[in-house]
Amino acid sequence: MKQDFDIQGMSCAACSSRIEKNVSQLDGVEQVSVNLLTNHMQVSYDEKKLNDQKIIDCVVNTGYGATLPNQADHAKTADVTHEDESEGMKKRFIASLIFMIPLFYVSMGHMVGLPLPAILLGHENALIFAFTQFLLCLPVLIINQKYFINGFKALFHRSPNMDSLIAIGSGASFIYGIYAIYMLGYGLGHMDMALVERYHMELYFEGAAMILTLITLGKYLETKSKGKTSEAIQKLMSLSAKEAILFKDGQEVSVPIEEVKVGDIIVLKPGMSVPVDGVVIEGNSSFDESAITGESMPVAKGKDDRLTCATINLEGTVKFEATKVGSDTTLAQMIKLVEEASSSKAPIAKLADQISGIFVPVVILISLVSLIVWLAVGQTFEFALSIAISVLVISCPCALGLATPVAIMVGMGKGASNGILIKSSEALELAHKVKTVLLDKTGTITSGHPSVSDIISFDDDLLSIAASLEKSSEHPLAKAIMDKAKEMHVSEAKIQNFEAVFGKGVKGEIDGEMVYGGNAAFMKESGIDLSKIEDKMLQLADEGKTPLVFARKDKILGIIACLDTIKESSVEAIAKLQKQGIKVVMVTGDHQKSALAIQKQCGVDEVIAEVLPSEKADVVRRYQKDGQLVAMVGDGINDALALTTADVGIAIGAGSDIALESAQIVLMKDDLLDVSNMFKLSRATMRNIKENLFWAFIYNAVLIPLAAGVFYPLLGWKLNPMIGAAAMSFSSVSVVTNALRLRRFKFDSAHEVKADKAVKTEMKEVKEEKKMNQKLVKIEGMMCMNCVHHVEKALKSIEGVSVEVSLDEHHAIVTSPQEISDDLIRSKVEEEGYKVVSIEPYESR
């Protein structure tokens, strides 16, 4: 069983590492992953040996809190909790600042010549001076008491964390300040002014308050930054419609989305978001699917076409039947996949976890050793204490703990918002090491919708018998033959004892006589002599067509050849993969000649043809034996085993449910360019993680020795505890900020490439004809395809104008045979509520 838990009280990687270690030791636990970024734990365990309560008790005994999430409102609650945490940090920082500023003024003001009340000046007023600082410092400790509660609680459970370091450091400063007050009182009472002079400026109250205030500021900035890492998931969550219009008893009734059931008929009007997954039963329209697939161009939908939850109806009114509702919709599954993936742990994260698990105890030990060593060499207690506190507050296990999860969260979120769903962080990490990609042909390289290209008939009944046989088959080639028979109004005969031989062909009885249809190997197995048609079959195969033979007993009825066209973006996608140093291999069940013809068109490095579905996994293993990491890309049921066998299984989104379940990465679009995009995203994410880990390690490796005073004897460098606290806070912020750079990652788009080519061609024609005028209009405010349609419609209202609007580039290219005034263009766009940033001749770019 796999169960999620919400964790309370974690402050650094040492916390998550300790929880993970203790829970994994429970009898029955198979796998446990704790995510510091999302305060989330996922546990796989044997229900016979363990239950949820025992896991919760283990977390509590470790010194933290654990609860089961409310599955219905988990995402919403997590978001609210995150906002509450950020707002709470902000209030704590402001409240701390209110007391810390006057405290800093009182303690440090006289050093820079700022005026102070006479009652606070002079050794005779030292006790008042010290007690005033005490009263200003105490509220800051109370406001930030969470650090002390969590820190000492973790220390009590022998699992010290970052809060423990803060609590010990600021607590030691505060206690030393109280000790100094006693010494001042003693000195004044006994008229020992030398003692008063010694402790007058060694109070450390401002240090305790400043440490807590700076740490809280850092935590606030970190929380705000971490919130941005999950923006993609939050955006997905916000897409779901709140209501749906049901069509019942001839009436349209608006109901909450929770009341929609499978089988309900839903009316969808222009501008509305699709509330659940379904199939169109009436009407036609175009849909903006960019939120789900990342595809910016509208997609036309009609009867029997599938609609996906959260896509937007742009034009006509349609009715559709609900097929998936609630947690079964595509949107809900996407959110679930991304959340689960974010909770999983990449192999690279284990190094940081192992270090974080021992980091805090080692830091405390270094702090104690520093204190003892400096006292032993003759330094004052105040000097040694300052060094010890600096070591405690400069150390940052947070930066180590955040290095991996923030980058993974941003990377996966970026992928999800562009139609690339990565099911685990392990898959994301492995992808950047892949050197060989195996591509299924049908539906992956090609469109998967073949059509009949040639009919070579030796019998008038060829098409009728072929249609009769293929009627019961679900193969794409069977559909092509059925479409052709329907187009030519060919009647079908009744077939009995039908049998489909997987990967080879079909057979059955018509009027008590066996008939066969399939590839050459199937015909030979069935005892059919192909010697008279072999040359013709080879010719068809050379042309990239798939020849199917149909026969009755031992008589050949004819050949029907089908052609499956290569997808428009496949050639470019394969070239991009090769440019990344990846070997591209096409694996297909087609005849060798047909496969080689496809290779010539798309440029794959190698072809493995005539492979049965069950043999695709063997091909994967063959490459793995050579020590290569192998990715398999497919879309059908026959690819499921190969997808599971591969190091990285990638399913094309329009494929079968089995393929989607078997794959580690799901591409929502039928676009091979997204395979290249996925590898690019993996490399960018891993590069970002390595950068984060490098800076986190370097930060601690350099600054801890500096804080410990290693450079003091030679260079006189000594780190003030307050500077150490600021540095620790901003180290975490810097790691998160670096990860956020991934949000600017650019994906290649087939539409953009096509548009680019079209624009270049059009520009060439314009230049040659010297008749057309073109202007590039930069526009602000376009957010979706609806906006694009509004701008397009507005500009087309100008006589003689043709327009090309790009949502991604936020511009429109206006073409006209005559010169158009900029003011007219500007007014047309701004009438629709959008802002024109600039207008310039397109040729000048």
Side-chain angles (χ1 to χ4, degrees):
M1 177 181 176
K2 186 181 284 186
Q3 180 63 58
D4 294 334
F5 298 86
D6 289 331
I7 305 297
Q8 296 86 39
M10 290 195 297
S11 63
C12 68
C15 304
S16 57
S17 180
R18 176 72 63 172
I19 294 170
E20 205 167 89
K21 180 181 177 182
N22 288 359
V23 173
S24 64
Q25 290 174 352
L26 291 173
D27 185 29
V29 170
E30 295 162 3
Q31 190 175 10
V32 58
S33 176
V34 180
N35 192 314
L36 173 65
L37 181 64
T38 57
N39 293 318
H40 181 79
M41 177 173 72
Q42 191 173 80
V43 185
S44 296
Y45 65 91
D46 186 346
E47 292 177 89
K48 295 175 183 176
K49 298 180 180 179
L50 200 58
N51 58 42
D52 294 341
Q53 190 55 50
K54 287 182 180 178
I55 294 172
I56 290 172
D57 291 343
C58 177
V59 175
V60 171
N61 291 334
T62 306
Y64 304 89
T67 55
L68 289 170
N70 181 336
Q71 295 300 328
D73 301 312
H74 176 51
K76 183 179 175 183
T77 304
D79 191 32
V80 171
T81 302
H82 183 83
E83 288 179 10
D84 288 347
E85 184 184 1
S86 178
E87 192 60 31
M89 286 286 181
K90 182 180 178 181
K91 289 176 180 177
R92 278 169 53 188
F93 170 66
I94 293 171
S96 299
L97 211 57
I98 290 169
F99 291 98
M100 198 276 293
I101 290 173
L103 170 58
F104 209 69
Y105 183 91
V106 169
S107 64
M108 301 289 184
H110 63 285
M111 294 182 182
V112 291
L114 295 175
L116 282 177
I119 198 170
L120 298 176
L121 297 173
H123 293 321
E124 66 276 12
N125 292 319
L127 197 57
I128 299 172
F129 177 71
F131 194 66
T132 301
Q133 291 187 46
F134 169 80
L135 291 177
L136 288 170
C137 178
L138 189 60
V140 179
L141 268 70
I142 294 170
I143 290 164
N144 295 286
Q145 61 183 292
K146 188 176 179 181
Y147 294 124
F148 296 93
I149 294 169
N150 291 343
F152 287 118
K153 185 180 178 183
L155 205 58
F156 177 76
H157 284 92
R158 297 194 301 278
S159 56
N161 56 22
M162 193 189 79
D163 285 351
S164 304
L165 299 179
I166 297 166
I168 296 170
S170 58
S173 297
F174 184 74
I175 290 169
Y176 183 77
I178 294 173
Y179 168 74
I181 288 177
Y182 276 96
M183 297 307 292
L184 287 171
Y186 181 86
L188 287 169
H190 291 76
M191 297 305 292
D192 185 350
M193 298 313 288
L195 191 64
V196 173
E197 186 177 354
R198 179 184 171 189
Y199 285 99
H200 189 191
M201 293 302 167
E202 294 289 348
L203 293 170
Y204 275 104
F205 286 123
E206 82 285 349
M210 182 65 88
I211 287 168
L212 293 171
T213 304
L214 288 174
I215 294 292
T216 302
L217 172 62
K219 280 284 185 182
Y220 168 65
L221 294 175
E222 180 187 316
T223 307
K224 288 288 286 182
S225 300
K226 280 160 66 176
K228 293 179 183 178
T229 66
S230 57
E231 269 184 9
I233 301 174
Q234 291 166 18
K235 184 180 175 185
L236 286 174
M237 293 170 181
S238 67
L239 292 174
S240 182
K242 303 296 182 286
E243 292 185 338
I245 300 175
L246 297 188
F247 189 74
K248 284 186 176 180
D249 303 321
Q251 300 289 322
E252 293 182 7
V253 184
S254 184
V255 299
I257 192 69
E258 293 80 15
E259 294 182 17
V260 178
K261 299 184 179 75
V262 173
D264 282 347
I265 305 302
I266 299 170
V267 178
L268 199 63
K269 297 179 180 179
M272 291 179 64
S273 175
V274 180
V276 295
D277 289 0
V279 175
V280 177
I281 58 173
E282 185 182 312
N284 296 279
S285 185
S286 60
F287 289 79
D288 176 4
E289 297 188 336
S290 58
I292 300 297
T293 66
E295 175 57 64
S296 58
M297 291 299 289
V299 180
K301 301 277 184 177
K303 193 174 186 301
D304 297 331
D305 284 331
R306 293 191 302 176
L307 295 184
T308 305
C309 177
T311 56
I312 299 170
N313 181 18
L314 298 176
E315 296 173 354
T317 298
V318 298
K319 288 180 184 175
F320 72 97
E321 181 182 344
T323 55
K324 291 180 180 178
V325 301
S327 60
D328 294 327
T329 64
T330 301
L331 178 65
Q333 290 299 312
M334 283 177 68
I335 294 169
K336 183 182 177 184
L337 279 177
V338 177
E339 284 185 330
E340 285 185 354
S342 300
S343 298
S344 64
K345 193 153 285 185
I348 197 171
K350 292 175 183 176
L351 172 64
D353 283 351
Q354 288 168 356
I355 293 170
S356 299
I358 60 170
F359 184 84
V360 176
V362 168
V363 166
I364 293 172
L365 183 63
I366 293 171
S367 176
L368 287 171
V369 169
S370 301
L371 178 72
I372 294 166
V373 168
W374 283 113
L375 287 173
V377 296
Q379 284 290 352
T380 64
F381 180 75
E382 293 80 13
F383 181 94
L385 180 64
S386 174
I387 290 286
I389 292 171
S390 293
V391 171
L392 290 172
V393 298
I394 197 70
S395 309
C396 192
C398 254
L400 283 172
L402 291 171
T404 301
V406 289
I408 284 174
M409 176 74 88
V410 178
M412 288 181 168
K414 185 70 178 176
S417 62
N418 286 272
I420 300 173
L421 297 184
I422 303 166
K423 292 185 180 181
S424 72
S425 49
E426 183 179 7
L428 182 65
E429 179 174 343
L430 283 175
H432 88 287
K433 299 177 182 177
V434 167
K435 291 299 178 187
T436 303
V437 173
L438 307 183
L439 302 177
D440 173 50
K441 190 204 80 170
T442 307
T444 302
I445 295 176
T446 64
S447 65
H449 305 293
S451 57
V452 172
S453 58
D454 299 84
I455 299 177
I456 301 164
S457 176
F458 306 132
D459 191 294
D460 293 339
D461 293 333
L462 170 63
L463 196 52
S464 174
I465 289 173
S468 304
L469 274 172
E470 300 293 3
K471 184 178 181 180
S472 301
S473 174
E474 296 181 358
H475 197 281
L477 296 178
K479 187 178 184 303
I481 291 171
M482 292 303 299
D483 289 343
K484 190 67 176 179
K486 187 176 180 181
E487 178 190 323
M488 297 182 69
H489 306 289
V490 173
S491 59
E492 302 156 15
K494 188 177 180 181
I495 192 161
Q496 295 176 320
N497 299 324
F498 173 82
E499 183 184 347
V501 181
F502 202 45
K504 293 183 178 181
V506 290
K507 60 182 179 180
E509 289 184 16
I510 296 178
D511 298 329
E513 189 175 46
M514 286 298 295
V515 288
Y516 307 88
N519 59 27
F522 181 60
M523 288 297 131
K524 288 174 182 177
E525 285 178 16
S526 303
I528 308 297
D529 181 13
L530 301 180
S531 57
K532 293 181 181 179
I533 60 169
E534 279 182 344
D535 290 343
K536 189 62 182 175
M537 290 182 71
L538 289 173
Q539 180 190 331
L540 291 168
D542 284 340
E543 295 168 4
K545 300 168 184 176
T546 302
L548 298 175
V549 182
F550 291 87
R552 178 175 17 217
K553 286 188 178 177
D554 58 353
K555 179 189 175 184
I556 296 173
L557 302 175
I559 305 170
I560 298 179
C562 297
L563 180 64
D564 188 4
T565 55
I566 292 175
K567 291 179 188 174
E568 195 168 354
S569 63
S570 291
V571 175
E572 185 179 0
I574 290 165
K576 284 183 177 293
L577 286 169
Q578 291 165 335
K579 195 173 180 180
Q580 293 177 45
I582 296 171
K583 181 180 181 181
V584 184
V585 181
M586 183 176 76
V587 183
T588 177
D590 283 2
H591 188 278
Q592 181 74 15
K593 290 279 186 180
S594 300
L596 290 173
I598 295 292
Q599 182 186 24
K600 287 178 184 176
Q601 295 176 57
C602 68
V604 293
D605 296 305
E606 188 179 338
V607 165
I608 300 176
E610 299 178 40
V611 177
L612 293 174
S614 58
E615 296 171 345
K616 287 187 179 181
D618 296 331
V619 175
V620 173
R621 293 188 193 99
R622 191 190 314 161
Y623 281 95
Q624 287 173 329
K625 281 180 182 177
D626 295 335
Q628 301 180 39
L629 276 178
V630 178
M632 172 72 197
V633 185
D635 75 322
I637 293 173
N638 57 7
D639 299 319
L641 182 58
L643 289 172
T644 307
T645 306
D647 298 291
V648 180
I650 305 169
I652 296 287
S656 70
D657 289 341
I658 294 176
L660 299 184
E661 285 295 322
S662 305
Q664 295 160 289
I665 296 170
V666 177
L667 309 180
M668 299 300 290
K669 293 193 298 245
D670 281 336
D671 191 344
L672 206 55
L673 264 176
D674 277 347
V675 177
S676 168
N677 282 330
M678 186 276 300
F679 286 120
K680 279 177 61 181
L681 178 63
S682 172
R683 286 189 178 89
T685 304
M686 293 311 300
R687 185 166 56 248
N688 194 281
I689 288 172
K690 288 171 182 176
E691 288 168 357
N692 286 347
L693 286 172
F694 172 79
W695 287 116
F697 280 124
I698 288 296
Y699 167 86
N700 286 292
V702 172
L703 292 188
I704 290 177
L706 175 63
V710 170
F711 303 107
Y712 184 75
L714 291 174
L715 303 171
W717 292 353
K718 179 178 176 290
L719 196 67
N720 186 291
M722 290 180 282
I723 296 173
M728 187 190 84
S729 298
F730 288 100
S731 66
S732 299
V733 175
S734 65
V735 164
V736 178
T737 304
N738 185 50
L740 289 175
R741 290 190 305 111
L742 282 170
R743 296 197 302 172
R744 299 199 297 268
F745 180 85
K746 295 288 185 184
F747 288 89
D748 295 322
S749 164
H751 168 61
E752 285 174 4
V753 171
K754 182 182 175 184
D756 240 12
K757 289 177 181 175
V759 169
K760 285 176 183 175
T761 304
E762 192 173 343
M763 285 292 292
K764 187 178 177 183
E765 290 171 358
V766 170
K767 192 173 180 181
E768 286 172 356
E769 293 179 16
K770 296 183 181 179
K771 292 179 181 179
M772 305 297 280
N773 294 288
Q774 283 191 315
K775 292 190 176 182
L776 183 73
V777 186
K778 287 281 186 180
I779 301 168
E780 268 188 12
M782 292 194 297
M783 304 295 289
C784 66
M785 291 308 298
N786 241 345
C787 302
V788 170
H789 287 298
H790 286 307
V791 171
E792 198 172 68
K793 186 178 178 182
L795 291 172
K796 280 185 177 177
S797 67
I798 303 172
E799 188 177 352
V801 160
S802 64
V803 182
E804 203 171 311
V805 183
S806 170
L807 177 62
D808 294 326
E809 300 296 332
H810 297 287
H811 71 217
I813 298 170
V814 180
T815 306
S816 173
Q818 68 273 343
E819 183 67 31
I820 311 164
S821 83
D822 291 353
D823 290 340
L824 179 59
I825 293 172
R826 191 183 303 276
S827 65
K828 288 291 183 182
V829 173
E830 293 185 349
E831 277 173 14
E832 294 296 324
Y834 306 97
K835 182 182 177 183
V836 174
V837 178
S838 65
I839 303 174
E840 56 188 86
Y842 189 76
E843 289 175 313
S844 67
R845 293 186 61 82

